[in-house]
Amino acid sequence: MGSEVRVRFAPSPTGYLHIGGARTALFNWVYARARGGKFILRIEDTDRERSRPEFVEEILDSLKWLGMNWDEGPFFQSQREEIYKEFAEKLLREGKAYRARERRNKGLSYKPQGEGREVDEDKGEAIIFAAPEKEVSFVDLIRGPISVDSRQFGDIVLIKSDGLPAYNFACVVDDALMGITHILRGEDHISNTPKQILLYEALGFPVPEFAHLPLIMGKDGGRLSKRTGATAVSEYRKMGYLPEAIVNYLMLLGWSIGPDREIFSLEEAIKVFDVKDVNKTSAVFDFDKLRWMNSEYIKAKSSEELLSLLEPFLQERGLSPDRDYALRVIDLFKTRASTLIDFVEWGDYFWREDYTFEDKAVEMHLVKDMSGEFTALIEVFRDLEDWSVESIERDFRELVDRLGLKPRDLIHPVRVAVSGKKVGPGLFELLYVLGKETVIRRLQRQIERWRKGEDA
């Protein structure tokens, strides 16, 4: 086997790229970069009924978005079916495999399990590998020595009765022909490894090294589900997560760069990553921690960078704010937002007039008619020439003193009237960014609601 490290990521396009698959791709990609090797992308699309072009497109787009550029590929198994048949025929000629129908016609049985159950002896030309009865041993780079008696799984399907290759066979042929030296995949594939080793040996191919990554569990202790984080990478993108935060967090699912280090770049990880350092125990996916990490990456970006990232979210909602105005809004929310979507949804009142009023906020602060106080505030704001945070706060507090109120008596109703929210950025900063005309218009609109007997 050559000295160059060659790894692969081989997704099946029967669905979108989910977090578990993205973590597998990432560990392969980082390992290749750490060893100066190659990262190969292969699309295992032999499931004709469930494979979809849109899934292929989403997988490729998600990998690119996460920054995982591949060195070779993508290769498609659906375009390589003749290759698999040639190698199956080779094993037949060498007496290492048999046709299921011929064996049945001779009154003999065969003993494939797992994938073998898909074989219909009466149809097609299913080809079965006669697995030798032996102890199959290998050293997992993460888990150490593993041994399995081949009698536990029996003979192995090579070509199914529909003429398509079985997973284990196509996988072995492709990995061998593509020169894969290290196979990093989920621990749910451990049961496939002994079968594949027998096929490597029968075909005369060198056996690669294997590393089986720990499964990702939900915080509830069960297998990762959509509720606990098993969402498509493209969905995280739509929810406003940054690719840097996603890959940083995925690296922590089973590996650590060092004690008390959680925020780090891929470049830093590449310098020290070794698959042998991956934990054996299952990793736990924590939505809250991912949100926290995303917020840290948001804080680290400039407002200009964030505006560029926000533009698709604004455009999707038909919003095209003035650039300077948008930057001021971003400055207000930058330390509070956990995702990009927060800038749009939490601050909807900055972007549109039909913003949402929270029922609780209205109930607490707009039920009492304060038309007189609001009218006085409007007059103060109209006379205010210097519309700055400092001037707004000064004149606001002077009015509160004149009216004999406590600051909160007016602060909370004004906040809800102009934003619809009970909490948010500092009121005076909020009023400054909204702008004088908008604030006066919204206060006047609330006065009209009270006159009509409405709250909001």
Side-chain angles (χ1 to χ4, degrees):
M1 196 172 286
S3 59
E4 181 185 62
V5 168
R6 292 174 62 83
V7 299
R8 49 75 164 173
F9 178 54
S12 174
T14 55
Y16 297 119
L17 179 65
H18 282 235
I19 282 296
R23 197 274 303 262
T24 299
L26 179 62
F27 277 32
N28 275 279
W29 186 88
V30 172
Y31 189 63
R33 297 294 174 260
R35 295 301 183 92
K38 294 289 192 297
F39 176 68
I40 290 89
L41 179 60
R42 183 172 74 231
I43 305 298
E44 299 191 338
D45 57 345
T46 56
D47 187 336
R48 291 173 176 169
E49 291 185 3
R50 298 170 58 218
S51 294
R52 296 285 185 273
E54 58 267 29
F55 294 145
V56 174
E57 183 178 351
E58 189 273 346
I59 291 169
L60 301 184
D61 286 346
S62 292
L63 290 174
K64 291 175 185 175
W65 180 69
L66 293 171
M68 285 183 263
N69 52 308
W70 49 91
D71 301 298
E72 297 175 19
F75 300 104
F76 292 83
Q77 284 190 334
S78 59
Q79 299 172 5
R80 299 167 59 82
E81 291 175 9
E82 290 304 314
I83 297 174
Y84 311 131
K85 290 177 182 177
E86 288 176 14
F87 280 99
E89 293 288 344
K90 177 178 182 292
L91 292 175
L92 277 173
R93 291 194 301 272
E94 294 174 355
K96 298 175 182 178
Y98 56 87
R99 297 187 189 278
R101 183 161 39 177
E102 290 178 2
R103 175 155 297 202
R104 182 173 183 271
N105 289 341
K106 294 178 181 178
L108 301 173
S109 63
Y110 62 95
K111 51 186 186 308
Q113 298 176 7
E115 282 188 287
R117 295 174 184 146
E118 302 172 20
V119 175
D120 186 333
E121 296 178 72
D122 296 316
K123 296 179 181 178
E125 292 294 322
I127 301 175
I128 314 294
F129 173 68
E133 294 183 358
K134 59 180 288 188
E135 193 79 9
V136 184
S137 301
F138 66 99
V139 178
D140 189 292
L141 295 175
I142 297 173
R143 301 161 191 282
I146 295 177
S147 292
V148 177
D149 189 328
S150 68
R151 287 175 294 186
Q152 291 184 20
F153 52 81
D155 290 355
I156 303 166
V157 179
L158 304 179
I159 304 295
K160 295 181 287 187
S161 53
D162 59 7
L164 295 175
Y167 165 77
N168 281 307
F169 184 55
C171 188
V172 166
V173 171
D174 283 340
D175 286 338
L177 297 184
M178 293 175 187
I180 304 303
T181 61
H182 296 74
I183 295 177
L184 283 58
R185 57 190 180 187
E187 66 177 19
D188 50 329
H189 281 283
I190 289 178
S191 61
N192 287 321
T193 302
K195 303 173 187 177
Q196 293 176 4
I197 289 174
L198 289 180
L199 293 173
Y200 279 110
E201 293 173 345
L203 290 165
F205 292 140
V207 179
E209 295 193 66
F210 293 90
H212 292 91
L213 308 172
L215 293 178
I216 303 175
M217 312 296 283
K219 283 183 71 175
D220 59 3
R223 290 286 294 270
L224 196 64
S225 64
K226 190 166 185 178
R227 181 177 58 83
T228 56
T231 304
V233 170
S234 53
E235 285 299 313
Y236 281 99
R237 185 177 183 178
K238 291 176 184 175
M239 288 188 284
Y241 285 87
L242 303 180
E244 308 97 302
I246 294 283
V247 297
N248 188 159
Y249 184 65
L250 290 178
M251 286 301 304
L252 293 174
L253 295 179
W255 181 78
S256 172
I257 196 170
D260 303 319
R261 282 287 310 275
E262 293 191 312
I263 304 291
F264 53 85
S265 67
L266 271 181
E267 290 71 24
E268 291 177 290
I270 287 169
K271 291 177 182 177
V272 296
F273 182 79
D274 192 326
V275 71
K276 294 178 182 178
D277 297 329
V278 174
N279 298 329
K280 298 182 182 70
T281 54
S282 298
V284 176
F285 188 93
D286 186 340
F287 257 130
D288 294 333
K289 188 168 184 178
L290 174 59
R291 284 182 64 83
W292 165 80
M293 184 166 286
N294 204 59
S295 71
E296 292 298 304
Y297 275 91
I298 286 175
K299 290 174 190 172
K301 288 192 176 294
S302 69
S303 294
E304 288 78 8
E305 288 176 307
L306 289 171
L307 177 56
S308 177
L309 294 169
L310 272 173
E311 283 175 350
F313 295 91
L314 294 170
Q315 291 171 1
E316 184 181 359
R317 292 159 176 79
L319 303 172
S320 54
D322 172 78
R323 178 178 176 79
D324 290 339
Y325 176 76
L327 289 173
R328 288 198 294 271
V329 175
I330 290 170
D331 286 339
L332 266 187
F333 279 94
K334 190 174 171 182
T335 59
R336 297 174 173 85
S338 296
T339 68
L340 295 175
I341 207 76
D342 289 344
F343 287 95
V344 182
E345 293 186 349
W346 287 2
D348 63 339
Y349 52 91
F350 282 110
W351 313 109
R352 61 196 338 144
E353 285 301 307
D354 58 340
Y355 50 92
T356 304
F357 280 79
E358 297 173 349
D359 292 340
K360 189 71 173 177
V362 172
E363 180 183 333
M364 292 178 67
H365 301 297
L366 290 186
V367 171
K368 179 184 176 182
D369 188 330
M370 298 187 69
S371 300
E373 292 87 341
F374 271 37
T375 299
L377 184 60
I378 289 172
E379 291 173 359
V380 167
F381 283 164
R382 279 185 177 144
D383 293 338
L384 184 58
E385 295 182 3
D386 175 24
W387 189 260
S388 65
V389 175
E390 296 75 19
S391 298
I392 294 169
E393 181 173 8
R394 181 197 64 217
D395 287 12
F396 186 97
R397 293 189 182 279
E398 287 179 359
L399 175 64
V400 166
D401 289 341
R402 274 203 321 270
L403 296 174
L405 301 172
K406 294 178 180 178
R408 66 171 181 269
D409 294 338
L410 192 56
I411 285 175
H412 295 311
V414 169
R415 175 188 295 282
V416 178
V418 301
S419 74
K421 307 289 189 292
K422 189 173 71 167
V423 297
L427 176 64
F428 307 113
E429 290 83 357
L430 186 158
L431 296 177
Y432 164 71
V433 173
L434 278 175
K436 183 176 179 176
E437 292 182 4
T438 298
V439 170
I440 291 174
R441 183 174 63 252
R442 292 183 181 184
L443 293 176
Q444 187 64 53
R445 188 167 60 198
Q446 183 56 44
I447 292 172
E448 293 298 323
R449 292 193 188 104
W450 277 321
R451 286 175 180 170
K452 294 177 181 177
E454 303 171 357
D455 297 324

